[in-house]
Amino acid sequence: MRRRSLVIATASTALVVAAIVLLVPLAPGWERVQKAFFNGEVFWKTFPGLVKAFLVDIMIFAWCAPMIAVLGLVIALARDARSPALFPLRLFGMVYNDVFRGVPVILVIYLVGFGIPGLGLPRPWNSPYIWGTVAVVLTYSAYVAEVYRTGIESIHESQRAAATSLGLSHWDVMRFVILPQAIRRVIPANMNLLIALQKDVALLSFIGPVEVLRQAGVYKSLLANFTPYLGAALIFLAVTVPATRWVDRMIARQNAARS
Amino acid sequence: MAKLSVRDVWKSFGAHEVLRGLSLEIDKGQMVCLIGASGSGKSTLLRCLNLLEPVDDGEILLDGQDITDPDLDPQPVRQRIGMVFQSFNLFPHMTAVENVLLAPRRIRRKRREELLPEAEALFARFGLVDRMGHYPDQLSGGQQQRVAIIRALAMRPEVMLFDEVTSALDPALVGEVLDVLRALKAEGMTMVLATHEMAFAREAADKICFLDEGRILEEGPPSAIFGAPREDRTRGFLARVL
């Protein structure tokens, strides 16, 4: 049975690939598209430069991710504040999440990235790296906060009751009993967000930093050819595909462990 | 003076009145067993005694001090009253000994090394010294429940509350937990149990309270409650469970 499905899957894949390879070049504009997007010479000439520019993406990602992890947690905790006196904190968390999850990332990047340096800040405080980072961190923290909150809420009330009955403070209950379990439980979900972040870092190019997307644009204008975009896409895929597979495996393992 | 004194306590969840003017006196060193049908208010009463639930009306006195006073810091009170739950509620990400040491470390502000001998003595007493480094999911139900009892004892409470602590256990494992309860009683611990273990209640309790619709309908020594219940509803309940 399994063997038969394998044969069918292979045959149908081969058929589709053959159709694409044979039929697409028959399209009237194929020759132009091939030259503009699949130009081998341009590809090899620009690829090393693109990889180098991608290091900027990695750099931005590397400092954004920990900031997002921390700020997201702070906002999740603010939203979890139970005492009536802390209601303003809770309200702030709620409004924050509504705003930053409701506005497209690129818009936040424009508003923060152009708006704040526009106040006439001196160098280096007008750097697009700083304000682009702020924009990305603000936006992603809202999503990460929601993920943390789901995790916190997924911990059964009896854990809180047991810890509270021992005489631990609200904060100690959170810190030692709830959070360690909650954070572990939502690692896969947060990993998915990190993969999305890895791609969205490229949006910073719109306010200045020459990272891989911007670099590809520069090459495109220089060489009047779109192939560098293909190179940039391949670089992203080389990172995101393995990362996604890894997260999927982690989720599968977690599900298996729970059932 | 009673160690713990419950006076006309009322508690509702929404429109549902769970405790309806319940009163109860518990003397030092006494073991009091709460019996009654599910929903009669046994668990809610225990949760109120531990301040996990605020009462709507009435008062609870611990050594004469009203612990339901909203201005009172509940943490020191909870430290004096230990609680053990039906489903153990051990912290799954910590080993047995970490479960036990968490509260003493945070509240008594002592280092692990200073607290370890006392914890180890408790584990040894309840036959679990070789399980200290195990995680809860590596322990049997009976072992988990004994660790939960040790965890509560580690705060050196003056009163212990037990909420149907054997109900989630395999029948074969009930005995080892009941043995622990007997040992605690023997050393003079003040204990309040919500339980369905009628044979145990009859043998070990100093006082039995039959809860019915949020009140104590009948209370007295086991011989009286089990031997010659006065109330029809008590008789009916006992007929169903015995």
Side-chain angles (χ1 to χ4, degrees):
Chain A
M1 200 57 215
R2 241 191 104 182
R3 224 187 109 131
R4 204 174 143 226
S5 344
L6 195 70
V7 170
I8 294 176
T10 313
S12 96
T13 309
L15 207 69
V16 171
V17 171
I20 292 171
V21 170
L22 294 174
L23 295 179
V24 170
L26 295 179
W30 168 243
E31 216 163 298
R32 261 180 300 139
V33 169
Q34 193 188 18
K35 254 194 221 139
F37 283 90
F38 300 99
N39 188 319
E41 197 188 329
V42 172
F43 182 85
W44 290 117
K45 205 162 113 189
T46 58
F47 196 70
L50 291 174
V51 170
K52 222 171 114 191
F54 187 65
L55 293 179
V56 175
D57 290 84
I58 292 178
M59 205 170 67
I60 298 171
F61 172 82
W63 69 55
C64 281
M67 284 195 263
I68 290 166
V70 172
L71 184 61
L73 188 58
V74 169
I75 291 162
L77 290 175
R79 289 204 64 177
D80 191 66
R82 293 189 165 194
S83 134
L86 295 179
F87 181 73
L89 206 63
R90 216 167 133 175
L91 187 72
F92 165 79
M94 245 161 67
V95 172
Y96 182 98
N97 270 15
D98 283 348
V99 169
F100 284 103
R101 288 194 308 158
V103 179
V105 197
I106 184 65
L107 209 58
V108 179
I109 292 175
Y110 272 139
L111 288 176
V112 175
F114 286 138
I116 295 182
L119 294 171
L121 299 175
R123 281 164 70 100
W125 298 108
N126 58 1
S127 159
Y129 284 95
I130 295 179
W131 299 108
T133 299
V134 168
V136 169
V137 169
L138 286 176
T139 304
Y140 267 81
S141 295
Y143 289 95
V144 169
E146 275 310 282
V147 170
Y148 279 136
R149 213 164 65 94
T150 327
I152 290 171
E153 277 168 13
S154 78
I155 304 302
H156 198 268
E157 185 55 37
S158 62
Q159 288 283 308
R160 209 185 279 262
T164 306
S165 80
L166 290 168
L168 292 168
S169 67
H170 178 78
W171 170 239
D172 272 358
V173 172
M174 196 41 110
R175 178 172 157 207
F176 292 102
V177 177
I178 309 291
L179 280 184
Q181 298 184 60
I183 290 175
R184 240 171 277 192
R185 207 172 274 189
V186 297
I187 286 174
N190 272 334
M191 285 298 171
N192 270 327
L193 283 175
L194 279 187
I195 292 169
L197 170 67
Q198 173 57 52
K199 294 180 296 169
D200 279 354
V201 158
L203 294 175
L204 252 61
S205 64
F206 286 95
I207 57 168
V210 182
E211 48 68 67
V212 65
L213 182 59
R214 177 83 156 209
Q215 185 65 56
V218 170
Y219 284 138
K220 176 212 71 178
S221 308
L222 209 64
L223 305 169
N225 192 290
F226 290 104
T227 308
Y229 283 137
L230 190 75
L234 287 178
I235 292 173
F236 275 110
L237 286 175
V239 173
T240 51
V241 170
T244 313
R245 287 287 163 282
W246 184 65
V247 171
D248 285 350
R249 256 187 45 205
M250 197 156 70
I251 293 173
R253 236 184 322 180
Q254 205 177 57
N255 287 344
R258 219 180 292 170
S259 57
Chain B
M1 185 174 58
K3 181 76 190 168
L4 205 56
S5 180
V6 181
R7 294 188 181 161
D8 194 28
V9 160
W10 292 75
K11 173 73 189 174
S12 308
F13 294 104
H16 181 52
E17 287 186 324
V18 184
L19 299 181
R20 298 162 60 240
L22 188 143
S23 296
L24 171 66
E25 301 278 309
I26 297 150
D27 291 331
K28 191 168 188 312
Q30 241 187 356
M31 180 196 269
V32 174
C33 283
L34 311 173
I35 63 170
S38 306
S40 57
K42 305 186 296 286
S43 290
T44 304
L45 173 59
L46 293 181
R47 290 175 68 90
C48 287
L49 290 178
N50 195 252
L51 307 184
L52 284 177
E53 300 286 352
V55 302
D56 298 334
D57 203 4
E59 51 187 24
I60 299 171
L61 308 180
L62 176 63
D63 286 332
Q65 183 197 18
D66 184 7
I67 57 173
T68 59
D69 182 351
D71 294 330
L72 192 79
D73 180 5
Q75 275 170 244
V77 176
R78 293 193 186 112
Q79 289 157 24
R80 294 171 63 190
I81 304 179
M83 180 146 180
V84 185
F85 301 83
Q86 177 174 357
S87 46
F88 329 137
N89 302 359
L90 291 179
F91 310 133
H93 58 297
M94 297 182 189
T95 61
V97 70
E98 285 169 341
N99 263 277
V100 169
L101 289 179
L102 174 64
R105 256 176 45 216
R106 296 302 301 166
I107 293 162
R108 282 201 240 137
R109 298 264 165 210
K110 284 193 180 163
R111 280 179 307 124
R112 193 188 148 86
E113 299 75 55
E114 293 174 79
L115 295 161
L116 203 55
E118 192 180 329
E120 228 167 42
L122 282 169
F123 275 96
R125 221 183 108 202
F126 298 120
L128 287 170
V129 82
D130 55 335
R131 295 285 183 273
M132 284 173 54
H134 287 52
Y135 283 90
D137 63 4
Q138 297 169 318
L139 300 172
S140 74
Q143 290 170 337
Q144 287 188 55
Q145 194 58 296
R146 283 185 285 157
V147 171
I149 294 172
I150 293 171
R151 181 173 70 179
L153 288 174
M155 286 307 295
R156 302 178 186 154
E158 299 156 34
V159 179
M160 286 281 280
L161 312 175
F162 297 89
D163 187 6
E164 298 190 14
V165 291
T166 55
S167 299
L169 292 178
D170 214 63
L173 303 175
V174 169
E176 62 188 69
V177 173
L178 294 183
D179 284 343
V180 171
L181 300 183
R182 284 190 194 95
L184 287 178
K185 177 179 157 60
E187 68 181 42
M189 177 64 80
T190 310
M191 302 159 80
V192 188
L193 285 77
T195 187
H196 290 298
E197 294 289 332
M198 294 303 154
F200 174 76
R202 186 169 199 165
E203 157 221 321
D206 298 300
K207 179 154 87 173
I208 306 283
C209 298
F210 173 65
L211 267 72
D212 186 59
E213 295 184 341
R215 287 198 185 109
I216 293 180
L217 190 66
E218 188 168 357
E219 64 175 90
S223 56
I225 300 290
F226 289 105
R230 278 177 290 118
E231 302 284 338
D232 282 343
R233 294 185 70 98
T234 316
R235 271 196 290 277
F237 172 75
L238 290 173
R240 266 178 282 129
V241 297
L242 288 179

